[in-house]
């Protein structure tokens, strides 16, 4: 048997009991003959508590120090987890991101992994120990300062280690039984997906599904690491994220639609009265990019012939809304628009499935379902395997349910179980 | 102006308010023209909370992992302190023990510093930044694992850095105004000592005075680093611990007695009926040493001629009492004693002063004071500059007060102010 990387989120190790429960699971994997590397997040609310402290001492905490602060969280959980495993009679050694060889760039609070050199992890495994690694953190190649990877960081750590160690599988333990055809909190009849290809999982993650973070799935696809998303609270088989090997039957098993995702974390900005000439959109989005804001959907209205003016709308994280409005206002003279409109009462609903490429009826059925449930559409954006619409935030739940039913995704029973919060 | 190392204990940085208050003090030192290096302990009860968590997951936490866990405490306080300083408009960079170049041996939970290579600290100072260093922790030279220095570790970190950086002074900030002639909680009329030589401070620390830890004073004496013990809650000048330079007036200013210390953290073991022949005591104390227990006072009674048997009593930390009794019981056959007596209701009272060397009346006056206050003496131990007695625990306060008055140490007023708990 080979090497397994397991990742446990904050809700799985929220207290001493949780840590002991997780320790047993890890020891079981070891007993079954695997080499085991464990990536762990900070306990429960630790990170929020640390952020709260930081805000008390400084309104805008500095990047380097903020990372130093936050990494204390995993330090605590990993040490406790190693102790709990040793208490069960198995050797365990904990490693910080830096000790585990997680090398990053120097962008504090959202560093990117540029190399993984897990020499000490290999040594620990060779010595028959279980290696416990702090998720979410690394060390910058340039300054040797401690960095954190930002949202979804621990999942990314796990997949990166799995790739560097040539692991058989990366198991992501969470508080739900796997990836569902829709958020089980919204759709009671959502079904657990048994297997999903990387590209569908990417689209779901990008469209608001919170089970796996986009960066982690991207990393797994690049290095072809199978991910098994499963619950740390039950023994059930979860969702496998992987591509079929060459020669395996694809068409027969490939569902047309993988699932429905939704996202209410975005806002919409409309730049009103932009001169309809080349370079205008570029200036707007350069302004946004310079403020280090990622935008999501973009729509430009057809220009009104009489005025030669057009409107450009785009969506972005609500948390960046203020910064974006400020940047655009500053650049008003340069861009030359009439006004700005800000709307944070929107939601996004997305239908994802690699099978829709070859099924022309999907788009039509999607819009019919929304129309039948009385949901008004404000923006539309599509990829080859996804359709997304922006609606009023109030309409999101109805839209998700309608689409889920229309594509035959409803299960016979209410099977989804959610156990707690989600880790980072 | 030169370089100052400041050390703040856990009670000084117990919460966000405390951190902001300390940040102001640090910035004041910087503004006055000093280069400033700050050593900080974990916030308030953080360490105790982490120990509590460790005990919940494992009855006997492993050394390596326990150190990894505890060092999270200073990581939090140092990052927050750096943020708070930056918020006041001054550059600050925090460093772990490892980053600060605190190199130790590999004895987890009580590592000893074997080298300090503060290259990154010097770089930070050269860049006009304030360097914040995690106290209490280092990295082992051999295994590159994180270590902690044990009790008094943060004070030792501060003095070691002061020595390595050739600092002008090492300021130890605490919750009292300095070192007192006796514990102000016991003796209301205890006086703050303005200046005390290293050797007196060593004896006081070894005899139960908690303001400075023995290791820190030893280190300071070896490298001749002046220590200024003072309160982080007031602006008062505290106690200077240093030796007079050659040629300075010693005799005139040197008080005969520096102070009275007491200690109720010890227990007494009496080994009854030991054959009075060479090697017996050695066997007993080898047994104790092999159990890694430090003993303090030792007294052997005069042998009773009739039996050829004697009793050997010694004191040791109460926390090691059980372990010592177990080790001796196991070695009973080898040592050949009759029985063991364990007594943890004892206290130790010590009178300390380099001046007593040349003042023959001191010992007599000490015993007279105890006798006049009706305190019974069980063991006596002396050094050139200290007399210690073991009494009943109940008698300790009366003994300290009596001796304090007898040697004219009482102040006119009740001047001592105690602000909170003590850090590590």
């Amino acid at each position: 048997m080979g090497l397994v990387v397991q990742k446990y989120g904050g809700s799985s190790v929220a207290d001493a009991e949780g840590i002991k429960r997780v320790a047993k699971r890890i020891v079981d994997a070891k007993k079954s003959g695997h080499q085991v590397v464990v990536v762990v997040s900070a306990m429960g609310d630790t990170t929020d508590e640390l952020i709260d402290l930081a805000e008390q001492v400084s309104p805008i905490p500095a990047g380097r120090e903020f990372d130093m602060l936050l990494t204390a969280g995993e330090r605590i959980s990993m040490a406790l987890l190693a102790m709990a495993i040793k208490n069960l009679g198995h050797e365990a050694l904990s490693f910080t991101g830096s000790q585990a060889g997680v090398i990053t760039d120097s962008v504090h609070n959202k560093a990117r992994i540029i190399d993984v050199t897990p020499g000490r992890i290999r040594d620990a495994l060779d010595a028959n120990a279980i290696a416990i690694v702090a998720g979410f953190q690394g060390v910058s190649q340039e300054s040797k300062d401690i960095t954190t990877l930002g949202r979804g960081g621990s999942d990314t750590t796990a997949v990166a280690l799995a790739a560097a160690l040539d692991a058989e599988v990366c198991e992501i333990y969470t508080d739900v039984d796997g990836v569902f055809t829709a958020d089980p909190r919204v759709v009671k009849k959502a079904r657990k997906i048994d297997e999903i290809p990387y590209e569908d999982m990417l689209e779901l993650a990008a469209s608001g599904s919170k089970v796996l973070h986009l960066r982690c799935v991207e990393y797994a696809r690049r290095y072809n690491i199978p991910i098994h998303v499963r619950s740390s609270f039950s023994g059930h088989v979860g969702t496998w994220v992987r591509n079929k090997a060459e020669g395996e039957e694809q068409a027969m098993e490939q569902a047309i639609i993988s699932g429905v995702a939704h996202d209410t974390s975005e806002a919409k900005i409309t730049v009103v009265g932009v001169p309809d000439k080349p370079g205008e959109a570029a200036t707007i989005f350069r302004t946004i990019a310079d403020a280090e804001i990622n935008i999501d959907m973009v729509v430009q209205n057809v220009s009104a012939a009489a005025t030669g003016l057009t409107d450009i709308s785009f969506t972005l994280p609500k948390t960046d809304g203020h910064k974006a409005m400020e940047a655009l206002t500053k650049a008003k003279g340069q861009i030359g628009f009439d006004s700005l409109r800000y709307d944070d009462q929107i939601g996004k609903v997305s239908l994802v499935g690699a099978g829709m490429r070859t099924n022309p009826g999907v788009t039509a059925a999607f819009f019919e379902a929304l129309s039948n449930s009385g949901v008004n559409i404000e923006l539309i954006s599509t990829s080859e395997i996804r359709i997304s619409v922006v609606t009023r935030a109030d309409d999101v739940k109805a839209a998700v349910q309608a689409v889920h039913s229309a594509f035959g995704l409803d299960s016979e029973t209410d099977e989804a179980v959610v156990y707690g919060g989600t880790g980072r």
Side-chain angles (χ1 to χ4, degrees), chain A residues 72-246:
Chain A
E74 291 83 32
R75 201 176 187 85
I76 294 169
S77 55
M78 76 180 191
L80 290 171
L81 189 52
M83 288 177 197
I85 292 170
K86 287 164 89 91
N87 196 40
L88 297 174
H90 287 258
E91 186 54 24
L93 292 165
S94 70
F95 299 95
T96 64
S98 169
Q99 290 175 335
V102 179
I103 317 290
T104 73
D105 59 23
S106 300
V107 184
H108 283 292
N109 307 160
K110 46 181 178 180
R112 299 200 69 93
I113 296 175
I114 54 184
D115 197 8
V116 181
T117 54
R120 292 188 70 174
I121 306 296
R122 281 197 199 281
D123 290 347
L125 295 174
D126 289 347
N128 203 31
I130 294 163
I132 315 291
V133 179
F136 181 65
Q137 55 177 255
V139 63
S140 88
Q141 190 166 49
E142 224 175 77
S143 64
K144 308 294 173 214
D145 283 329
I146 302 304
T147 53
T148 64
L149 307 179
R151 283 186 57 200
S154 289
D155 290 359
T156 308
T157 303
V159 172
L161 274 172
L165 293 164
D166 200 17
E168 218 165 63
V169 56
C170 180
E171 297 182 336
I172 306 277
Y173 285 89
T174 179
D175 50 7
V176 289
D177 276 333
V179 181
F180 281 74
T181 50
D183 185 338
R185 277 165 271 228
V186 172
V187 180
K188 286 273 169 290
K189 289 186 185 304
R191 274 189 298 109
K192 194 195 75 196
I193 302 171
D194 293 329
E195 185 158 348
I196 184 170
Y198 293 120
E199 52 188 343
D200 283 27
M201 194 63 234
L202 273 179
E203 291 281 9
L204 282 179
S207 304
S209 163
K210 302 224 167 38
V211 184
L212 282 182
H213 200 268
L214 191 56
R215 288 170 65 187
C216 145
V217 186
E218 280 174 347
Y219 212 110
R221 181 171 65 164
R222 196 175 322 135
Y223 292 95
N224 204 26
I225 303 295
I227 297 179
H228 186 185
V229 185
R230 56 193 306 193
S231 168
S232 74
F233 296 83
S234 80
H236 305 159
V237 170
T239 300
W240 282 86
V241 184
R242 63 182 166 197
N243 286 348
K244 294 277 181 222
E246 296 279 330

